[in-house]
Amino acid sequence: MKSGKDYIVFPLDFPSFGQAEKYVKLLSDRVGMFKIGLELFIREGPEVIRKTRQLSSAGIFLDLKLHDISATVQRAVRSAAELEADLLTVHCASSIRMLEAAVGAGGDKTGILGVTLLTDNDAQTVRESGFSDAYWADPAALVMKRAEMACQAGCAGVVCSGNEVQAVKHRFGADFMAVTPGIRPAGGIGGEDDQKRVCTPGRAVTLGADLIVVGRPIRDAPDPEEAAKEIAAGIDAVIL
């Protein structure tokens, strides 16, 4: 049975693996997956996946948000699958053809997640990007449109905020993954926040999130391991 910690994805948002290594060792038994994003992957290259796997049995979520012509994305995903990344993100902002190419290249090795709308985007951002009134008046409509594309293309699921996760699960089914970033504890994190569409861990899971990305509330805590443990306990309280 899935436990609270299995829902937690910790992003290794560090400029080098030397800095990330501490958290991989510290949180190996406290989280379900480690997310490797652009900053660390560009600095360290594919070797960062091997290094992380040597230190932990947690899953690997490669968050590269690929967005290019279909053939280029297909080749990139094929390479990621050879690296044995468990999950890989691509942007739904492109065509369904690109999403289908990514899914085909990932095969049964790497699940493809479609990024619907970045969590630092709000209605004003959508409007400034040139979308029609229907989408900037209700950004969730844009998320659902892109989630529909991802589902039709055969993606394993989508990345969406807690605001949309319940609708995604209701419309596309329990097996279609919903991965939710922008997770913040009930009391917030203090200081300036780079996220606009946020949700608490317990609420995100209650709404149907399969994975929640929790970075700063763990990383910046006085005791990151204890913070992860408390978040997992809070999730256990709503799923048991």
Side-chain angles (χ1 to χ4, degrees), residues 51-136:
K51 290 178 178 178
T52 303
R53 286 207 183 281
Q54 285 182 334
L55 295 174
S56 174
S57 61
I60 299 293
F61 178 174
L62 192 55
D63 186 22
L64 301 184
K65 299 182 178 70
L66 301 177
H67 187 180
D68 211 314
I69 65 171
S70 300
T72 298
V73 168
Q74 183 179 49
R75 291 192 294 268
V77 174
R78 191 175 294 129
S79 294
E82 291 173 358
L83 295 172
E84 299 184 347
D86 297 294
L87 295 172
L88 172 69
T89 51
V90 302
H91 268 294
C92 289
S94 187
S95 66
I96 192 168
R97 180 181 175 187
M98 189 205 78
L99 295 174
E100 290 171 342
V103 170
D108 58 3
K109 291 184 178 180
T110 300
I112 303 301
L113 297 174
V115 177
T116 54
L117 184 65
L118 299 175
T119 49
D120 71 343
N121 286 190
D122 57 10
Q124 183 64 24
T125 307
V126 173
R127 184 178 191 179
E128 291 170 352
S129 297
F131 286 93
S132 67
D133 292 356
Y135 290 128
W136 68 257

Side-chain angles (χ1 to χ4, degrees), residues 3-202:
S3 67
K5 81 174 185 65
D6 297 322
Y7 286 86
I8 302 174
V9 178
F10 181 75
L12 298 175
D13 291 338
F14 302 96
S16 71
F17 188 74
Q19 292 168 274
E21 183 177 10
K22 165 190 170 182
Y23 290 88
V24 174
K25 292 178 178 178
L26 193 64
L27 301 173
S28 180
D29 296 325
R30 297 297 181 192
V31 302
M33 302 190 87
F34 287 109
K35 183 170 77 72
I36 297 171
L38 285 169
E39 180 182 20
L40 188 59
F41 192 78
I42 289 174
R43 172 63 68 89
E44 300 286 349
E47 184 69 7
V48 70
I49 295 177
R50 185 188 66 81
K51 290 178 178 178
T52 303
R53 286 207 183 281
Q54 285 182 334
L55 295 174
S56 174
S57 61
I60 299 293
F61 178 174
L62 192 55
D63 186 22
L64 301 184
K65 299 182 178 70
L66 301 177
H67 187 180
D68 211 314
I69 65 171
S70 300
T72 298
V73 168
Q74 183 179 49
R75 291 192 294 268
V77 174
R78 191 175 294 129
S79 294
E82 291 173 358
L83 295 172
E84 299 184 347
D86 297 294
L87 295 172
L88 172 69
T89 51
V90 302
H91 268 294
C92 289
S94 187
S95 66
I96 192 168
R97 180 181 175 187
M98 189 205 78
L99 295 174
E100 290 171 342
V103 170
D108 58 3
K109 291 184 178 180
T110 300
I112 303 301
L113 297 174
V115 177
T116 54
L117 184 65
L118 299 175
T119 49
D120 71 343
N121 286 190
D122 57 10
Q124 183 64 24
T125 307
V126 173
R127 184 178 191 179
E128 291 170 352
S129 297
F131 286 93
S132 67
D133 292 356
Y135 290 128
W136 68 257
D138 180 17
L142 179 58
V143 171
M144 294 303 291
K145 176 65 176 176
R146 289 176 169 175
E148 183 177 19
M149 286 176 57
C151 187
Q152 291 176 349
C155 290
V158 292
V159 179
C160 63
S161 82
N163 296 343
E164 302 94 25
V165 64
Q166 188 174 40
V168 166
K169 298 298 283 189
H170 177 75
R171 183 167 175 181
F172 303 109
D175 293 335
F176 190 66
M177 291 181 66
V179 179
T180 304
I183 297 297
R184 297 292 184 256
I189 58 173
E192 186 176 349
D193 199 341
D194 57 357
Q195 303 282 5
K196 295 179 180 178
R197 290 154 52 241
V198 301
C199 190
T200 64

